[in-house]
Amino acid sequence: MQEGYHFKDEGKGEVRDYLDFYHSIDFDPVEQSLPDRVRTLTFVLGGMLPYSGGRTSVLKLGTYLSQKGYQVAYLSYKPQSVEEMERNAELNLPGYLGKILPASALESYQSDVWIATFWESAYVIKNLHGYKMYFVQDYEPYFYDYGDQYLLAKKTYDLNLHMVSLGPWNKAMIEKNCSPLSPVDSIPFAFEPADYPEVPRDFRKYPQKKELSIAVYNRPTARRAPIITQLLMKRLEEQLQNEGITLHVYYYGSPLGTFFANGTNLGKLNKSELFKLYAKCDFGIVASMSNISLVPFEMMHTGLPVMEFADGTLPYFFEKGSALLTSMDFHDFSRRFHFYLKRPKELEKMTAFAKKQLKRTNWQRTAAAFAQIVGKIDGQSKNDSVRFGSLV
């Protein structure tokens, strides 16, 4: 493994990031071979990081599959100690089930099914012995400027891995922009409501408030529109100040010390800290410009009115009227904000409709859908080459 490796958010890559698995980076589609029976499944990760929504999703799927009798493992293709991975996994999902494996296990570990979880891991698993799946949690070319990482990520959808999309948007993007050799399965996006109970809110007081608080999810990644969101918040703060209203803007999701145009940067928050923030705020703002995150689900379940951009992906997951959808133009943004601020009944109607839809969303349903897909593989002849026509 390369020395001096450090985990970082997606961005501009360096060639050394790929030297550990560069022999696998080619675009030849894999020839799938179905196992007689699926006993072992291995999720391949780019490290086990703490408080990671993507890793938590993988752990929840793996735990459910473990409960169904499968032998599940989580293997990092990037150098990280087992002790650190286990510690972080427990932070993400206390009581998770499954075995943690280091990068060195790639050389010898045997698995009936390998499951990529990020575009890099699709290349890592493509030449391993076993059936190859791809758990797609986002349309990852959008993580990058147009260039080699963008293209490398996009090519993974053409490698003939059995893809399972978390929610319908990834599936739509892959089928629109790529040339997949296999159909793309989709499972429902999941949210676990227990950590974010409903908070009583008196919307009747909103029109008279002289102080307002907004929780703003703002990560330093373009797909969360951090620049546009901050500029809108700064202008809204100035406008409300002229109206005699003080606006408290609470940014979170970025490291402490990150520069913001206004407001307070709370850094990265754990679940209890997030709930306290949602409970004290009057509105929440999220920019879901690629696949939706858990954030709007969390906010909505507490009864917090959510603002999202109409150009984003929220309409793929929630019906019209669930959130305050706005364009990125400040005049439209301000007009819609003021409309709801002065109409408590509309806010109450919107938040109630959002919570009604959340009742259909849970991890049991999502994990069961994933297990059903694995079950279609289970029992097939391992000698049959397949392009998945009989599996979906």
Side-chain angles (χ1 to χ4, degrees), residues 43-58:
F43 291 90
V44 180
L45 306 152
M48 182 64 73
L49 307 185
Y51 306 117
S52 164
R55 272 79 171 183
T56 302
S57 297
V58 169

Side-chain angles (χ1 to χ4, degrees), residues 32-35 112-114 130-133 162 377 386 388 391:
Q32 294 279 29
S33 185
L34 292 164
D112 298 321
V113 177
W114 297 92
Y131 191 78
K132 288 93 174 178
M133 298 183 70
H162 185 164
I377 303 166
V386 64
F388 309 115
L391 296 181

Side-chain angles (χ1 to χ4, degrees), residues 306-366:
V306 172
M307 300 182 73
E308 273 266 15
F309 295 127
D311 290 338
T313 63
L314 186 121
Y316 278 81
F317 300 88
F318 289 94
E319 296 179 35
K320 184 178 180 180
S322 305
L324 199 169
L325 286 180
T326 174
S327 73
M328 294 180 176
D329 173 72
F330 175 71
H331 300 291
D332 179 59
F333 180 89
S334 172
R335 183 169 56 250
R336 292 177 186 273
F337 177 81
H338 280 84
F339 175 89
Y340 280 93
L341 181 64
K342 301 300 182 183
R343 290 169 174 80
K345 290 185 178 179
E346 292 295 328
L347 281 176
E348 186 174 350
K349 179 181 176 182
M350 181 177 72
T351 53
F353 187 48
K355 285 183 284 187
K356 181 180 178 181
Q357 292 180 71
L358 289 175
K359 292 180 180 179
R360 305 195 301 259
T361 306
N362 61 74
W363 261 106
Q364 187 79 4
R365 177 181 174 220
T366 296

